[in-house]
Amino acid sequence: MSGRTDSDTRPETAGAKDVNDVNDTDDVDDDGDDPAEDARRARWTATGTGALLTLAGLAASLMRLTGSAPALVPAAYAFGAAVCAFAAVLGSRGRTRRALWLLIVGTMIMALGDQFD
């Protein structure tokens, strides 16, 4: 006997964890390694941002409509809000790259309409 333990038995130590324990989620790294989770997060982000920009554009359009601004200003806000709403729909269907570009275009349309005031 050489004093070594059998290879089939492991010594139980205070901090040791079972490597084969699949229910242990303490060591799971949440750095976005799951592509499905990344895609879900991108869809929610595109949808939420599109909805938020749509509401902001519609609110600005209504505020400018009641003021003394030229008619082009509220129309630009409304059109930009419609583009952002379309981007939100595309984002919810998984077309997040196109939704991102449409969100940029919609925001630029609203900013351009603000320049006519």
Side-chain angles (χ1 to χ4, degrees):
M1 301 268 265
S2 64
R4 294 186 329 181
T5 60
D6 291 339
S7 62
D8 295 333
T9 61
R10 286 178 292 170
E12 295 295 326
T13 58
K17 292 186 179 181
D18 189 6
V19 178
N20 298 324
D21 189 11
V22 294
N23 293 330
D24 188 17
T25 59
D26 292 338
D27 292 336
V28 173
D29 193 15
D30 258 348
D31 288 341
D33 293 337
D34 186 20
E37 181 66 29
D38 289 343
R40 188 176 304 116
R41 188 175 300 127
R43 284 193 305 267
W44 276 103
T45 302
T47 304
T49 305
L52 183 67
L53 285 172
T54 300
L55 290 175
L58 288 177
S61 176
L62 288 174
M63 285 176 32
R64 298 294 181 147
L65 189 63
T66 59
S68 63
L72 186 61
V73 175
Y77 275 113
F79 184 65
V83 171
C84 289
F86 182 60
V89 170
L90 283 180
S92 69
R93 294 183 180 181
R95 305 291 186 187
T96 54
R97 190 172 296 150
R98 291 179 184 150
L100 171 67
W101 285 108
L102 283 176
L103 289 172
I104 293 169
V105 168
T107 306
M108 288 176 62
I109 291 170
M110 288 188 262
L112 182 66
D114 196 37
Q115 295 298 314
F116 293 120
D117 187 19

